[in-house]
Amino acid sequence: MGLGALLKKILGAGDSGQGEKAESLGEPIEYKGYEIFLQPRSLGGQFGVGGLIRKTVDGEVREHVFIRADQAPSRDLCNEITLQKARNAIDTLGDSLFPKS
């Protein structure tokens, strides 16, 4: 099992339960045909940067989970940093964010 698959399994980003999972992720932020889901995590008074990038490619929903070492003192600031990191990843890597099946 690769690191990406392990992170997806740990964070609940697998293929099953798409509808239920989408509800728990909150509202996506649309960016250049991708959906960005913000997933800040509580780290002892700080918030850790992380999220999920999703796109439908050739009729298949593809997902990329990312977790960064960055921390912020508030959830709002963490969300801003996460959105910036996700947009940068999309701009830099595009569809190569998603491994070939």
Side-chain angles (χ1 to χ4, degrees), residues 3 7-8 18 20-21 24-25 31-32 35 38-39 42 45 52 57-59 61 69-70 73 75 80-81 85 89 99:
L3 181 59
L7 289 174
K8 283 183 179 182
Q18 287 284 28
E20 184 177 312
K21 180 176 54 170
S24 67
L25 289 175
Y31 182 70
K32 295 185 176 181
E35 294 179 314
L38 307 175
Q39 297 179 311
S42 182
L52 174 87
V57 178
D58 298 327
V61 176
D70 305 81
R75 182 179 297 271
E80 288 178 35
I81 294 168
K85 298 278 185 183

Side-chain angles (χ1 to χ4, degrees), residues 2-3 11 20 23 26 29 40 42 46 50 53 56-57 59-60 63 68 89 95-97 101:
L3 181 59
L11 297 173
E20 184 177 312
E23 289 177 20
I29 297 165
S42 182
Q46 298 277 321
I53 299 171
T56 302
V57 178
E60 180 183 345
E63 295 181 338
R68 299 289 183 261
D95 288 350
S96 67
L97 281 167
S101 304

Side-chain angles (χ1 to χ4, degrees), residues 49 53 66 68 70 80-90:
V49 171
I53 299 171
F66 65 98
R68 299 289 183 261
D70 305 81
E80 288 178 35
I81 294 168
T82 301
L83 186 56
Q84 179 183 13
K85 298 278 185 183
R87 287 176 174 163
N88 186 48
I90 291 166

